Amino acid sequence: MDFTPTEEQTAARDLAAGIIDDLATHERLTALGTGTDPVLWKTLCGAGLLAAVEEIGLVGLALVLEEQGRRTAQIPLAATCAFGLLPVAAYGADEQRARLLPGLRDGTVVATGALPSFAEASSAGASCTPVGRSAKGTPAPRAEQNGRLSGVVPVVPWLRAATHVLVPVRQASGGAPRLFLVPTDQRAVDVATVETTAPWAAGRLELSGARGEPIEGGRGVRHGGAYEGTLGAARTVFAALQVGVCAGSLAHAVAHTSQREQFGRPLSTNQAVQLRAADAHLDTEAIRVTCLEAAWRYDAGLPAHTQALTAAWWAAEAGRRVVHTGQHLHAGVGADVTHPVHRHFLWGRQLDAFLGSPGALLAALGEALAVPARDAEWREEM
């Protein structure tokens, strides 16, 4: 493995960093509230960053998303790539690619995904609980006899900004769910506002006989098929976003403790502060390296299921520790909801919840690692 970015990946990262630093300021983010930043989105798309994703690969996208996370920029970049651009490019039929990719590349098509929990996804795909489970008393998305989709997903990130939503539907015959790309401008699609921990323009999705087109098999079975491949890429994408959130939180903490004095010396000279910051740095690097490994394997066409689960676990488990540390090292200032570090805290906890509980992710990883071992034991017995 070689995680050294190419010239194209470095250029994309630097371009994204410059645009985001200029526009995603604390003042503009405060004025946005929980909404999406249309100016930043238009600027990034106009600079060709979305159009370059297929060229720079998942590693390059991870570097760009890290820059977004550093500033907690309120744009649906991760969702559009994970649930629109990447699955259509990898698994869409030729006609779908020709029709959908231009809009996804220039940002006029904004996608998101109705996957309530990554953590509960079965490695085998047969039980696939996350797409069969919704809030208590609400039916999960299903395909009716006429091919239309009905059901409810209680919380979908960036849904209020999306033109399309990727909906997994469990098959009656078992196996991996089918993915349907559903336009949100239909009368059969109802979107209600849901406010989450972080300002992700989330919504409640209700489908009542909505039309959707399947994204499946047009480009082969790369990474285990459309559902498994999309799930793994999405885990990697949102883990990359967590890298930036953690790095930004730690940068705020370092600046604060270096400037704030107590008993005539900076807080950063206290050993306890140094140890907390060092642990947060190591946690952030662990998220980064596991994320890059999964992204590198994805780009190389290698199996990346367990690597994506590992990155998601680190992002959820260690990410939560890092943003708590960032807030803690600010002392009472960190509890101020108007302080920039508090925004990183909210994003880190939202990503933790979105990726799934660390325990569930670890259980899924254990299952994924045990299946090949059981297969090997069976072959030896034969």
Side-chain angles (χ1 to χ4, degrees):
M1 290 176 289
D2 183 4
F3 298 156
T4 304
T6 64
E7 291 184 9
E8 293 78 10
Q9 291 167 343
T10 301
R13 178 195 63 195
D14 294 345
L15 177 60
I19 294 173
I20 293 171
D21 284 349
D22 286 343
L23 293 177
T25 62
H26 176 58
E27 294 74 21
R28 291 193 74 249
L29 289 171
T30 300
L32 279 171
T34 61
T36 302
D37 189 341
V39 176
L40 178 55
W41 180 248
K42 184 177 180 179
T43 304
L44 282 175
C45 295
L49 279 171
L50 263 74
V53 167
E54 293 161 89
E55 180 181 352
I56 63 177
L58 201 53
V59 170
L61 176 59
L63 298 176
V64 170
L65 288 170
E66 183 176 340
E67 298 304 322
Q68 178 192 350
R70 286 181 193 273
R71 285 289 192 176
T72 59
Q74 291 172 205
I75 50 174
L77 179 59
T80 293
C81 292
F83 303 121
L85 185 60
L86 293 176
V88 170
Y91 308 107
D94 291 338
E95 183 276 331
Q96 288 175 321
R97 288 165 52 85
R99 174 167 45 85
L100 295 171
L101 284 179
L104 288 164
R105 289 167 179 157
D106 66 20
T108 55
V109 174
V110 178
T112 188
L115 283 78
S117 172
F118 290 154
E120 300 171 3
S122 162
S123 60
S127 55
C128 294
T129 52
V131 296
R133 179 180 299 172
S134 192
K136 186 176 181 180
T138 59
R142 64 192 185 280
E144 300 175 346
Q145 291 184 346
N146 59 4
R148 296 296 181 107
L149 305 179
S150 296
V152 175
V153 180
V155 182
V156 180
W158 304 110
L159 182 61
R160 303 199 314 263
T163 61
H164 292 72
V165 55
L166 193 68
V167 179
V169 176
R170 185 162 47 182
Q171 303 182 71
S173 58
R178 300 177 68 191
L179 294 178
F180 290 85
L181 195 62
V182 179
T184 58
D185 60 352
Q186 308 174 56
R187 294 183 63 182
V189 177
D190 182 70
V191 175
T193 298
V194 174
E195 297 299 348
T196 55
T197 301
W200 284 9
R204 177 182 185 271
L205 177 69
E206 183 171 353
L207 307 175
S208 305
R211 56 181 172 82
E213 55 180 308
I215 306 294
E216 55 185 11
R219 310 291 293 181
V221 292
R222 189 170 185 254
H223 296 295
Y227 175 75
E228 291 292 345
T230 299
L231 186 65
R235 282 173 170 147
T236 306
V237 161
F238 284 94
L241 196 57
Q242 184 75 300
V243 175
V245 170
C246 291
S249 175
L250 186 56
H252 282 301
V254 169
H256 175 78
T257 55
S258 297
Q259 297 167 5
R260 185 70 176 265
E261 292 189 357
Q262 188 178 57
F263 305 116
R265 58 176 183 158
L267 288 173
S268 59
T269 60
N270 294 326
Q271 187 179 42
V273 172
Q274 294 173 357
L275 291 174
R276 285 292 302 274
D279 286 343
H281 171 73
L282 290 175
D283 274 338
T284 302
E285 289 303 304
I287 305 170
R288 178 181 284 114
V289 72
T290 53
C291 171
L292 288 176
E293 181 186 12
W296 179 86
R297 291 183 65 89
Y298 185 94
D299 289 342
L302 299 171
H305 176 69
T306 57
Q307 287 77 15
L309 270 170
T310 302
W313 179 82
W314 273 104
E317 174 73 15
R320 178 169 51 190
R321 287 198 299 264
V322 173
V323 296
H324 273 269
T325 293
Q327 190 171 37
H328 187 198
L329 291 180
H330 280 76
V333 175
D336 182 356
V337 296
T338 65
H339 194 281
V341 78
H342 190 75
R343 188 179 293 112
H344 285 80
F345 174 78
L346 296 178
W347 275 66
R349 291 312 309 263
Q350 185 65 49
L351 282 163
D352 163 27
F354 185 60
L355 287 166
S357 71
L361 286 165
L362 204 59
L365 179 60
E367 178 187 353
L369 293 173
V371 170
R374 287 198 299 266
D375 291 344
E377 292 174 0
W378 180 81
R379 285 193 296 270
E380 289 177 2
E381 291 175 359
M382 293 296 290

mmCIF file of all heavy atoms in Angstrom, residues 254-278:
data_model
loop_
_atom_site.group_PDB
_atom_site.id
_atom_site.type_symbol
_atom_site.label_atom_id
_atom_site.label_comp_id
_atom_site.label_asym_id
_atom_site.label_seq_id
_atom_site.Cartn_x
_atom_site.Cartn_y
_atom_site.Cartn_z
ATOM 1 N N VAL A 254 -5.569 22.889 20.468
ATOM 2 C CA VAL A 254 -4.159 23.263 20.540
ATOM 3 C C VAL A 254 -4.011 24.780 20.592
ATOM 4 O O VAL A 254 -3.240 25.327 21.399
ATOM 5 C CB VAL A 254 -3.387 22.681 19.334
ATOM 6 C CG1 VAL A 254 -1.986 23.274 19.252
ATOM 7 C CG2 VAL A 254 -3.301 21.158 19.443
ATOM 8 N N ALA A 255 -4.764 25.480 19.736
ATOM 9 C CA ALA A 255 -4.684 26.940 19.727
ATOM 10 C C ALA A 255 -5.147 27.526 21.060
ATOM 11 O O ALA A 255 -4.522 28.447 21.601
ATOM 12 C CB ALA A 255 -5.521 27.486 18.579
ATOM 13 N N HIS A 256 -6.228 26.976 21.587
ATOM 14 C CA HIS A 256 -6.776 27.516 22.836
ATOM 15 C C HIS A 256 -5.818 27.290 24.000
ATOM 16 O O HIS A 256 -5.535 28.224 24.779
ATOM 17 C CB HIS A 256 -8.123 26.861 23.138
ATOM 18 C CG HIS A 256 -8.701 27.255 24.461
ATOM 19 N ND1 HIS A 256 -9.337 28.461 24.675
ATOM 20 C CD2 HIS A 256 -8.719 26.593 25.666
ATOM 21 C CE1 HIS A 256 -9.735 28.535 25.936
ATOM 22 N NE2 HIS A 256 -9.369 27.422 26.553
ATOM 23 N N THR A 257 -5.316 26.072 24.150
ATOM 24 C CA THR A 257 -4.466 25.767 25.301
ATOM 25 C C THR A 257 -3.086 26.417 25.184
ATOM 26 O O THR A 257 -2.401 26.596 26.197
ATOM 27 C CB THR A 257 -4.297 24.243 25.471
ATOM 28 O OG1 THR A 257 -3.789 23.674 24.244
ATOM 29 C CG2 THR A 257 -5.630 23.595 25.821
ATOM 30 N N SER A 258 -2.688 26.769 23.978
ATOM 31 C CA SER A 258 -1.401 27.454 23.807
ATOM 32 C C SER A 258 -1.495 28.930 24.160
ATOM 33 O O SER A 258 -0.504 29.549 24.568
ATOM 34 C CB SER A 258 -0.906 27.308 22.362
ATOM 35 O OG SER A 258 -0.676 25.952 22.039
ATOM 36 N N GLN A 259 -2.690 29.492 24.019
ATOM 37 C CA GLN A 259 -2.871 30.927 24.267
ATOM 38 C C GLN A 259 -3.402 31.222 25.668
ATOM 39 O O GLN A 259 -3.078 32.252 26.247
ATOM 40 C CB GLN A 259 -3.833 31.499 23.217
ATOM 41 C CG GLN A 259 -3.310 31.417 21.792
ATOM 42 C CD GLN A 259 -4.387 31.695 20.756
ATOM 43 O OE1 GLN A 259 -5.519 32.040 21.107
ATOM 44 N NE2 GLN A 259 -4.053 31.513 19.484
ATOM 45 N N ARG A 260 -4.222 30.310 26.185
ATOM 46 C CA ARG A 260 -4.845 30.533 27.498
ATOM 47 C C ARG A 260 -3.831 30.224 28.606
ATOM 48 O O ARG A 260 -3.221 29.140 28.618
ATOM 49 C CB ARG A 260 -6.083 29.637 27.640
ATOM 50 C CG ARG A 260 -6.873 29.870 28.900
ATOM 51 C CD ARG A 260 -7.581 31.212 28.855
ATOM 52 N NE ARG A 260 -8.426 31.406 30.018
ATOM 53 C CZ ARG A 260 -9.729 31.127 30.049
ATOM 54 N NH1 ARG A 260 -10.321 30.633 28.967
ATOM 55 N NH2 ARG A 260 -10.433 31.336 31.134
ATOM 56 N N GLU A 261 -3.641 31.147 29.533
ATOM 57 C CA GLU A 261 -2.673 30.963 30.600
ATOM 58 C C GLU A 261 -3.374 30.706 31.928
ATOM 59 O O GLU A 261 -4.471 31.202 32.184
ATOM 60 C CB GLU A 261 -1.766 32.184 30.725
ATOM 61 C CG GLU A 261 -0.837 32.366 29.534
ATOM 62 C CD GLU A 261 0.198 33.451 29.776
ATOM 63 O OE1 GLU A 261 0.140 34.097 30.861
ATOM 64 O OE2 GLU A 261 1.065 33.658 28.901
ATOM 65 N N GLN A 262 -2.690 29.926 32.744
ATOM 66 C CA GLN A 262 -3.157 29.648 34.107
ATOM 67 C C GLN A 262 -1.936 29.594 35.015
ATOM 68 O O GLN A 262 -0.944 28.918 34.689
ATOM 69 C CB GLN A 262 -3.921 28.329 34.153
ATOM 70 C CG GLN A 262 -4.606 28.061 35.479
ATOM 71 C CD GLN A 262 -5.382 26.755 35.450
ATOM 72 O OE1 GLN A 262 -4.823 25.707 35.169
ATOM 73 N NE2 GLN A 262 -6.674 26.824 35.745
ATOM 74 N N PHE A 263 -1.974 30.328 36.114
ATOM 75 C CA PHE A 263 -0.833 30.410 37.034
ATOM 76 C C PHE A 263 0.436 30.872 36.316
ATOM 77 O O PHE A 263 1.535 30.382 36.565
ATOM 78 C CB PHE A 263 -0.588 29.079 37.736
ATOM 79 C CG PHE A 263 -1.790 28.546 38.450
ATOM 80 C CD1 PHE A 263 -2.371 27.354 38.052
ATOM 81 C CD2 PHE A 263 -2.354 29.241 39.513
ATOM 82 C CE1 PHE A 263 -3.496 26.868 38.702
ATOM 83 C CE2 PHE A 263 -3.474 28.753 40.171
ATOM 84 C CZ PHE A 263 -4.046 27.563 39.765
ATOM 85 N N GLY A 264 0.255 31.783 35.367
ATOM 86 C CA GLY A 264 1.404 32.402 34.715
ATOM 87 C C GLY A 264 2.029 31.605 33.584
ATOM 88 O O GLY A 264 3.100 31.971 33.078
ATOM 89 N N ARG A 265 1.392 30.540 33.150
ATOM 90 C CA ARG A 265 1.957 29.773 32.027
ATOM 91 C C ARG A 265 0.814 29.195 31.191
ATOM 92 O O ARG A 265 -0.303 28.986 31.686
ATOM 93 C CB ARG A 265 2.860 28.648 32.528
ATOM 94 C CG ARG A 265 2.160 27.674 33.463
ATOM 95 C CD ARG A 265 3.059 26.536 33.846
ATOM 96 N NE ARG A 265 2.399 25.559 34.686
ATOM 97 C CZ ARG A 265 2.799 24.299 34.814
ATOM 98 N NH1 ARG A 265 3.870 23.878 34.164
ATOM 99 N NH2 ARG A 265 2.136 23.474 35.598
ATOM 100 N N PRO A 266 1.082 28.892 29.897
ATOM 101 C CA PRO A 266 0.029 28.372 29.025
ATOM 102 C C PRO A 266 -0.497 27.022 29.524
ATOM 103 O O PRO A 266 0.246 26.213 30.092
ATOM 104 C CB PRO A 266 0.728 28.222 27.662
ATOM 105 C CG PRO A 266 1.898 29.133 27.730
ATOM 106 C CD PRO A 266 2.338 29.125 29.168
ATOM 107 N N LEU A 267 -1.770 26.783 29.292
ATOM 108 C CA LEU A 267 -2.368 25.497 29.672
ATOM 109 C C LEU A 267 -1.683 24.327 28.983
ATOM 110 O O LEU A 267 -1.626 23.216 29.506
ATOM 111 C CB LEU A 267 -3.860 25.494 29.309
ATOM 112 C CG LEU A 267 -4.795 26.355 30.168
ATOM 113 C CD1 LEU A 267 -6.187 26.375 29.559
ATOM 114 C CD2 LEU A 267 -4.837 25.835 31.594
ATOM 115 N N SER A 268 -1.151 24.575 27.798
ATOM 116 C CA SER A 268 -0.528 23.494 27.023
ATOM 117 C C SER A 268 0.737 22.950 27.664
ATOM 118 O O SER A 268 1.235 21.891 27.267
ATOM 119 C CB SER A 268 -0.196 23.990 25.612
ATOM 120 O OG SER A 268 0.679 25.102 25.664
ATOM 121 N N THR A 269 1.276 23.653 28.661
ATOM 122 C CA THR A 269 2.478 23.156 29.332
ATOM 123 C C THR A 269 2.150 22.141 30.421
ATOM 124 O O THR A 269 3.053 21.508 30.960
ATOM 125 C CB THR A 269 3.275 24.324 29.952
ATOM 126 O OG1 THR A 269 2.456 24.999 30.915
ATOM 127 C CG2 THR A 269 3.705 25.318 28.868
ATOM 128 N N ASN A 270 0.870 21.999 30.754
ATOM 129 C CA ASN A 270 0.476 21.005 31.761
ATOM 130 C C ASN A 270 0.520 19.603 31.157
ATOM 131 O O ASN A 270 0.032 19.368 30.048
ATOM 132 C CB ASN A 270 -0.937 21.291 32.271
ATOM 133 C CG ASN A 270 -1.008 22.600 33.040
ATOM 134 O OD1 ASN A 270 -0.054 22.975 33.714
ATOM 135 N ND2 ASN A 270 -2.127 23.302 32.927
ATOM 136 N N GLN A 271 1.098 18.685 31.899
ATOM 137 C CA GLN A 271 1.272 17.328 31.381
ATOM 138 C C GLN A 271 -0.060 16.663 31.056
ATOM 139 O O GLN A 271 -0.193 15.965 30.043
ATOM 140 C CB GLN A 271 2.059 16.484 32.378
ATOM 141 C CG GLN A 271 2.428 15.105 31.831
ATOM 142 C CD GLN A 271 3.239 14.286 32.816
ATOM 143 O OE1 GLN A 271 2.942 14.283 34.006
ATOM 144 N NE2 GLN A 271 4.261 13.605 32.327
ATOM 145 N N ALA A 272 -1.068 16.866 31.886
ATOM 146 C CA ALA A 272 -2.368 16.244 31.645
ATOM 147 C C ALA A 272 -2.966 16.724 30.328
ATOM 148 O O ALA A 272 -3.560 15.938 29.572
ATOM 149 C CB ALA A 272 -3.311 16.549 32.801
ATOM 150 N N VAL A 273 -2.814 18.015 30.032
ATOM 151 C CA VAL A 273 -3.312 18.562 28.770
ATOM 152 C C VAL A 273 -2.558 17.950 27.601
ATOM 153 O O VAL A 273 -3.151 17.570 26.580
ATOM 154 C CB VAL A 273 -3.180 20.099 28.763
ATOM 155 C CG1 VAL A 273 -3.510 20.671 27.387
ATOM 156 C CG2 VAL A 273 -4.085 20.714 29.819
ATOM 157 N N GLN A 274 -1.252 17.840 27.727
ATOM 158 C CA GLN A 274 -0.439 17.270 26.660
ATOM 159 C C GLN A 274 -0.819 15.815 26.368
ATOM 160 O O GLN A 274 -0.895 15.401 25.208
ATOM 161 C CB GLN A 274 1.045 17.361 27.025
ATOM 162 C CG GLN A 274 1.578 18.780 27.101
ATOM 163 C CD GLN A 274 3.007 18.836 27.632
ATOM 164 O OE1 GLN A 274 3.578 17.805 28.003
ATOM 165 N NE2 GLN A 274 3.574 20.036 27.688
ATOM 166 N N LEU A 275 -1.063 15.057 27.429
ATOM 167 C CA LEU A 275 -1.425 13.644 27.240
ATOM 168 C C LEU A 275 -2.786 13.506 26.562
ATOM 169 O O LEU A 275 -2.968 12.658 25.683
ATOM 170 C CB LEU A 275 -1.422 12.928 28.595
ATOM 171 C CG LEU A 275 -0.053 12.726 29.251
ATOM 172 C CD1 LEU A 275 -0.210 12.130 30.641
ATOM 173 C CD2 LEU A 275 0.845 11.833 28.385
ATOM 174 N N ARG A 276 -3.754 14.330 26.980
ATOM 175 C CA ARG A 276 -5.071 14.264 26.341
ATOM 176 C C ARG A 276 -4.968 14.620 24.857
ATOM 177 O O ARG A 276 -5.578 13.973 23.994
ATOM 178 C CB ARG A 276 -6.055 15.223 27.027
ATOM 179 C CG ARG A 276 -6.563 14.769 28.371
ATOM 180 C CD ARG A 276 -7.460 13.543 28.296
ATOM 181 N NE ARG A 276 -8.628 13.717 27.468
ATOM 182 C CZ ARG A 276 -9.789 14.233 27.866
ATOM 183 N NH1 ARG A 276 -9.905 14.665 29.117
ATOM 184 N NH2 ARG A 276 -10.817 14.320 27.050
ATOM 185 N N ALA A 277 -4.201 15.664 24.550
ATOM 186 C CA ALA A 277 -4.034 16.080 23.161
ATOM 187 C C ALA A 277 -3.290 15.021 22.350
ATOM 188 O O ALA A 277 -3.632 14.760 21.183
ATOM 189 C CB ALA A 277 -3.298 17.418 23.100
ATOM 190 N N ALA A 278 -2.285 14.397 22.962
ATOM 191 C CA ALA A 278 -1.530 13.357 22.260
ATOM 192 C C ALA A 278 -2.423 12.158 21.943
ATOM 193 O O ALA A 278 -2.352 11.588 20.842
ATOM 194 C CB ALA A 278 -0.329 12.924 23.098
#
